[in-house]
Amino acid sequence: TSQRELEIRWSDDFEQRIPFRVLRDACQCAKCMDSKNKPDPPAGMLRILSAAETMPMEIVSMKPVGNYAYNIEFSDGHSTGLFTFELLRSLK
């Protein structure tokens, strides 16, 4: 497959694959939540993408946060979100 995915095997042997784009779109940090609540551009207007947003999504690093989450840095420069185990388990 050409789509990049995070593979997780949970302690109950459940195996999960989460596409990087799905993971990035699920970020719940304040900045992402604010941008998700902004209205779409008017009809006929296009949102301007940064150079990083035009490239395939990659995970640059993943760091554990306590025993409940990971901080994930993405190739678009975003690195402020915490992805709890509960959130990760809920993603498809």
Side-chain angles (χ1 to χ4, degrees):
T1 180
S2 64
Q3 188 171 18
R4 302 285 308 196
E5 298 173 319
L6 175 65
E7 296 180 32
I8 302 173
R9 177 177 286 178
W10 297 92
S11 60
D12 63 0
D13 287 329
F14 175 68
E15 293 184 25
Q16 183 177 19
R17 292 174 179 258
I18 308 168
F20 291 168
R21 174 50 56 193
V22 169
L23 193 59
R24 175 65 179 87
D25 289 346
C27 182
Q28 298 181 356
C29 77
K31 183 178 179 180
C32 289
M33 295 307 289
D34 183 50
S35 68
K36 289 175 188 174
N37 291 326
K38 288 184 181 177
D40 290 333
M45 300 291 289
L46 298 175
R47 187 174 75 83
I48 298 174
L49 301 175
S50 69
E53 289 175 301
T54 66
M55 304 301 293
M57 184 59 56
E58 297 287 338
I59 290 177
V60 175
S61 70
M62 282 183 72
K63 298 175 186 160
V65 178
N67 276 339
Y68 71 98
Y70 277 94
N71 169 254
I72 301 175
E73 180 181 353
F74 294 93
S75 56
D76 66 356
H78 185 69
S79 63
T80 59
L82 289 182
F83 294 81
T84 64
F85 297 157
E86 182 179 356
L87 174 62
L88 290 171
R89 185 79 183 234
S90 73
L91 298 176
K92 296 179 182 180

